[in-house]
């Protein structure tokens, strides 16, 4: 759901150069995941045994 991948250098993620956590979410993917959650009730499936 991120717009850009983490940058890895010497096997470690690099620190962002801008303020904040360095995470920019793809709002379209977040919205699609939220709609799927509300439609399918995925949380209920995880909490209750089949």
């Amino acid at each position: 759901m991120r717009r850009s991948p983490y940058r890895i250098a010497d096997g470690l993620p690099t620190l962002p150069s801008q303020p904040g956590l360095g995470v920019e979410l793809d709002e379209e993917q977040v919205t699609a995941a939220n709609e799927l959650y509300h439609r399918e009730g995925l949380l209920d499936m995880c909490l209750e045994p089949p």
Side-chain angles (χ1 to χ4, degrees):
M1 288 191 209
R2 292 174 35 103
R3 287 187 183 253
S4 59
Y6 289 106
R7 295 181 193 162
I8 306 295
D10 297 323
L12 299 170
T14 57
L15 295 175
S17 57
Q18 297 91 10
L21 298 176
V23 176
E24 185 178 350
L25 297 178
D26 184 326
E27 292 295 329
E28 289 180 12
Q29 287 187 5
V30 171
T31 299
N34 184 47
E35 290 171 356
L36 176 64
Y37 168 79
H38 284 285
R39 184 174 62 247
E40 301 294 331
L42 296 177
L43 183 61
D44 293 338
M45 292 172 52
C46 294
L47 295 177
E48 297 176 10

